[in-house]
Amino acid sequence: MATDRHHDTAEADLAVLQRYIDACSNWGRWGPEDQLGTLNLVGPDEVRAAAALVRSGRVISLTMPYDGNGPQTGQHGRFNPQLYASATGLDHLAGTQTALLNTLGTPQGFGFADDVVLMPTQSGTQWDALCHIFWNGRMWNGRTAAEVGSAGAAANGIQHYTGRLVMRGILIDMARARGVASLDPGVAITADDLDGYLESHALTVGRGDALLIRTGFMGARRGHWGDYAGGAAPGLSLHTAPWLHAHDVAAIATDTWGVEVRPNEIDVVQPLHVVSLVHGGMAFGEMFDLDDLAADCADDGVYEFMFVASPLPLTGATGSPVSALAIK
């Protein structure tokens, strides 16, 4: 009987997922060859409108440090960034940079330092590419998962996002709205939560906007990360998918590792990714550091800003680090 109940629950979960896929799919909306997804919603008009929000000229970084003190544990092959020096000031002082000797063999005054960064593309603040997640062997716009191989993605790579993530951003500071330092793991943010927050802050979501969702979870775990990367977390409910689709949201970014609530609400891994990224083509940003922005917005009461967050043009990559900025 327990097996039957599990089977019935699994079938019901898949039915919910399929209903949302059918309602929220953008496959073919921008043509069969599209590799941008909802970033097609951001054009010159949206960029100009975002630029018009700049009043004070304050620039706030939304990116966590890329160093060895980050949250990664090795799960899924993700480790914290590692910086290696290939040429140092000590080399210069020791006179070992022989390539810079002049014709008389006398060391020149000029020296240099170089280094190498080794990091997974999704080890810190980053965007998911549209080739990152598959469902039933397909990724964004119906392309086969076979197009993503050991040499990278032949389609839907992160390079298509480069230069396209400039838009109006809205901070949804759900932690502050609920009067807590951080939402607890497993707490789901619903469509009613989003509507209530927007109404209370006199905000309206427009076509092509980015929503930056602060749960407070990064701040709560900073420096003692535990299972922050990969474990239970607060986040968006799967059931926000139709809301995001109906509002033509171009991008969503959170201060958690996976955008959506964990544990997941149905017996499918990362179902919001399946609906809104794979089928909706929405840009998903993860591990954005929103604490300084939240403090600034609470201080001046302005929760909309110009959002600039272009990824590196890493051809065929499934994600990319980003130096994200809010400009007010």
mmCIF file of all heavy atoms in Angstrom, residues 270-288:
data_model
loop_
_atom_site.group_PDB
_atom_site.id
_atom_site.type_symbol
_atom_site.label_atom_id
_atom_site.label_comp_id
_atom_site.label_asym_id
_atom_site.label_seq_id
_atom_site.Cartn_x
_atom_site.Cartn_y
_atom_site.Cartn_z
ATOM 1 N N GLN A 270 14.662 20.177 -8.379
ATOM 2 C CA GLN A 270 14.644 21.557 -8.879
ATOM 3 C C GLN A 270 13.544 21.788 -9.920
ATOM 4 O O GLN A 270 13.798 22.162 -11.078
ATOM 5 C CB GLN A 270 16.016 21.921 -9.463
ATOM 6 C CG GLN A 270 17.170 21.842 -8.455
ATOM 7 C CD GLN A 270 17.027 22.806 -7.288
ATOM 8 O OE1 GLN A 270 16.236 22.560 -6.383
ATOM 9 N NE2 GLN A 270 17.790 23.890 -7.309
ATOM 10 N N PRO A 271 12.285 21.615 -9.519
ATOM 11 C CA PRO A 271 11.197 21.725 -10.495
ATOM 12 C C PRO A 271 11.010 23.127 -11.067
ATOM 13 O O PRO A 271 10.555 23.270 -12.216
ATOM 14 C CB PRO A 271 9.965 21.281 -9.697
ATOM 15 C CG PRO A 271 10.320 21.567 -8.268
ATOM 16 C CD PRO A 271 11.780 21.268 -8.168
ATOM 17 N N LEU A 272 11.329 24.179 -10.295
ATOM 18 C CA LEU A 272 11.199 25.530 -10.849
ATOM 19 C C LEU A 272 12.208 25.741 -11.973
ATOM 20 O O LEU A 272 11.912 26.425 -12.959
ATOM 21 C CB LEU A 272 11.383 26.584 -9.754
ATOM 22 C CG LEU A 272 11.150 28.033 -10.191
ATOM 23 C CD1 LEU A 272 9.717 28.251 -10.666
ATOM 24 C CD2 LEU A 272 11.489 29.007 -9.062
ATOM 25 N N HIS A 273 13.398 25.158 -11.845
ATOM 26 C CA HIS A 273 14.367 25.201 -12.939
ATOM 27 C C HIS A 273 13.790 24.515 -14.182
ATOM 28 O O HIS A 273 13.948 25.002 -15.302
ATOM 29 C CB HIS A 273 15.669 24.495 -12.547
ATOM 30 C CG HIS A 273 16.613 25.311 -11.713
ATOM 31 N ND1 HIS A 273 16.327 25.702 -10.439
ATOM 32 C CD2 HIS A 273 17.862 25.781 -11.981
ATOM 33 C CE1 HIS A 273 17.347 26.390 -9.943
ATOM 34 N NE2 HIS A 273 18.292 26.460 -10.871
ATOM 35 N N VAL A 274 13.143 23.379 -13.954
ATOM 36 C CA VAL A 274 12.581 22.634 -15.077
ATOM 37 C C VAL A 274 11.524 23.474 -15.809
ATOM 38 O O VAL A 274 11.515 23.558 -17.037
ATOM 39 C CB VAL A 274 11.974 21.302 -14.592
ATOM 40 C CG1 VAL A 274 11.202 20.611 -15.723
ATOM 41 C CG2 VAL A 274 13.067 20.382 -14.067
ATOM 42 N N VAL A 275 10.657 24.115 -15.049
ATOM 43 C CA VAL A 275 9.576 24.889 -15.664
ATOM 44 C C VAL A 275 10.092 26.199 -16.245
ATOM 45 O O VAL A 275 9.906 26.493 -17.432
ATOM 46 C CB VAL A 275 8.452 25.160 -14.638
ATOM 47 C CG1 VAL A 275 7.388 26.074 -15.256
ATOM 48 C CG2 VAL A 275 7.825 23.865 -14.175
ATOM 49 N N SER A 276 10.753 27.008 -15.401
ATOM 50 C CA SER A 276 11.034 28.397 -15.784
ATOM 51 C C SER A 276 12.345 28.584 -16.516
ATOM 52 O O SER A 276 12.477 29.539 -17.288
ATOM 53 C CB SER A 276 10.999 29.293 -14.535
ATOM 54 O OG SER A 276 9.706 29.309 -13.975
ATOM 55 N N LEU A 277 13.326 27.710 -16.305
ATOM 56 C CA LEU A 277 14.581 27.821 -17.047
ATOM 57 C C LEU A 277 14.526 26.977 -18.317
ATOM 58 O O LEU A 277 14.681 27.501 -19.420
ATOM 59 C CB LEU A 277 15.756 27.411 -16.158
ATOM 60 C CG LEU A 277 17.171 27.677 -16.712
ATOM 61 C CD1 LEU A 277 18.182 27.791 -15.569
ATOM 62 C CD2 LEU A 277 17.648 26.609 -17.687
ATOM 63 N N VAL A 278 14.271 25.681 -18.165
ATOM 64 C CA VAL A 278 14.278 24.808 -19.344
ATOM 65 C C VAL A 278 13.177 25.192 -20.328
ATOM 66 O O VAL A 278 13.424 25.315 -21.529
ATOM 67 C CB VAL A 278 14.126 23.332 -18.933
ATOM 68 C CG1 VAL A 278 14.028 22.441 -20.179
ATOM 69 C CG2 VAL A 278 15.296 22.889 -18.065
ATOM 70 N N HIS A 279 11.973 25.392 -19.819
ATOM 71 C CA HIS A 279 10.834 25.651 -20.706
ATOM 72 C C HIS A 279 10.495 27.128 -20.850
ATOM 73 O O HIS A 279 10.028 27.560 -21.906
ATOM 74 C CB HIS A 279 9.617 24.859 -20.228
ATOM 75 C CG HIS A 279 9.790 23.381 -20.365
ATOM 76 N ND1 HIS A 279 10.338 22.607 -19.367
ATOM 77 C CD2 HIS A 279 9.538 22.539 -21.391
ATOM 78 C CE1 HIS A 279 10.395 21.349 -19.765
ATOM 79 N NE2 HIS A 279 9.916 21.274 -20.994
ATOM 80 N N GLY A 280 10.732 27.906 -19.805
ATOM 81 C CA GLY A 280 10.450 29.330 -19.889
ATOM 82 C C GLY A 280 11.607 30.137 -20.435
ATOM 83 O O GLY A 280 11.424 31.262 -20.897
ATOM 84 N N GLY A 281 12.828 29.578 -20.369
ATOM 85 C CA GLY A 281 13.994 30.292 -20.876
ATOM 86 C C GLY A 281 14.436 31.447 -20.000
ATOM 87 O O GLY A 281 15.117 32.359 -20.468
ATOM 88 N N MET A 282 14.081 31.412 -18.719
ATOM 89 C CA MET A 282 14.386 32.527 -17.826
ATOM 90 C C MET A 282 15.814 32.453 -17.311
ATOM 91 O O MET A 282 16.342 31.377 -17.026
ATOM 92 C CB MET A 282 13.425 32.536 -16.635
ATOM 93 C CG MET A 282 13.591 33.731 -15.706
ATOM 94 S SD MET A 282 12.344 33.733 -14.404
ATOM 95 C CE MET A 282 10.867 33.945 -15.411
ATOM 96 N N ALA A 283 16.455 33.634 -17.199
ATOM 97 C CA ALA A 283 17.800 33.717 -16.649
ATOM 98 C C ALA A 283 17.737 33.532 -15.136
ATOM 99 O O ALA A 283 17.015 34.254 -14.449
ATOM 100 C CB ALA A 283 18.433 35.065 -16.999
ATOM 101 N N PHE A 284 18.498 32.562 -14.625
ATOM 102 C CA PHE A 284 18.555 32.270 -13.196
ATOM 103 C C PHE A 284 19.928 32.668 -12.667
ATOM 104 O O PHE A 284 20.958 32.178 -13.151
ATOM 105 C CB PHE A 284 18.352 30.774 -12.939
ATOM 106 C CG PHE A 284 16.923 30.341 -12.781
ATOM 107 C CD1 PHE A 284 15.923 30.819 -13.615
ATOM 108 C CD2 PHE A 284 16.566 29.422 -11.810
ATOM 109 C CE1 PHE A 284 14.606 30.401 -13.480
ATOM 110 C CE2 PHE A 284 15.261 29.001 -11.658
ATOM 111 C CZ PHE A 284 14.268 29.488 -12.481
ATOM 112 N N GLY A 285 19.940 33.541 -11.649
ATOM 113 C CA GLY A 285 21.176 33.944 -10.999
ATOM 114 C C GLY A 285 21.207 33.433 -9.571
ATOM 115 O O GLY A 285 20.206 33.510 -8.847
ATOM 116 N N GLU A 286 22.347 32.931 -9.154
ATOM 117 C CA GLU A 286 22.469 32.305 -7.844
ATOM 118 C C GLU A 286 23.630 32.885 -7.054
ATOM 119 O O GLU A 286 24.610 33.347 -7.625
ATOM 120 C CB GLU A 286 22.627 30.789 -8.021
ATOM 121 C CG GLU A 286 21.402 30.166 -8.672
ATOM 122 C CD GLU A 286 21.612 28.775 -9.236
ATOM 123 O OE1 GLU A 286 22.770 28.355 -9.419
ATOM 124 O OE2 GLU A 286 20.599 28.104 -9.516
ATOM 125 N N MET A 287 23.482 32.870 -5.730
ATOM 126 C CA MET A 287 24.496 33.342 -4.787
ATOM 127 C C MET A 287 24.868 34.803 -5.015
ATOM 128 O O MET A 287 26.031 35.186 -4.944
ATOM 129 C CB MET A 287 25.733 32.428 -4.811
ATOM 130 C CG MET A 287 25.457 31.047 -4.271
ATOM 131 S SD MET A 287 26.909 29.967 -4.159
ATOM 132 C CE MET A 287 27.140 29.530 -5.870
ATOM 133 N N PHE A 288 23.871 35.628 -5.295
ATOM 134 C CA PHE A 288 24.075 37.068 -5.372
ATOM 135 C C PHE A 288 24.101 37.622 -3.949
ATOM 136 O O PHE A 288 23.257 37.269 -3.123
ATOM 137 C CB PHE A 288 22.959 37.726 -6.186
ATOM 138 C CG PHE A 288 23.182 37.676 -7.671
ATOM 139 C CD1 PHE A 288 23.283 36.460 -8.343
ATOM 140 C CD2 PHE A 288 23.292 38.844 -8.409
ATOM 141 C CE1 PHE A 288 23.485 36.410 -9.723
ATOM 142 C CE2 PHE A 288 23.494 38.806 -9.788
ATOM 143 C CZ PHE A 288 23.605 37.587 -10.441
#
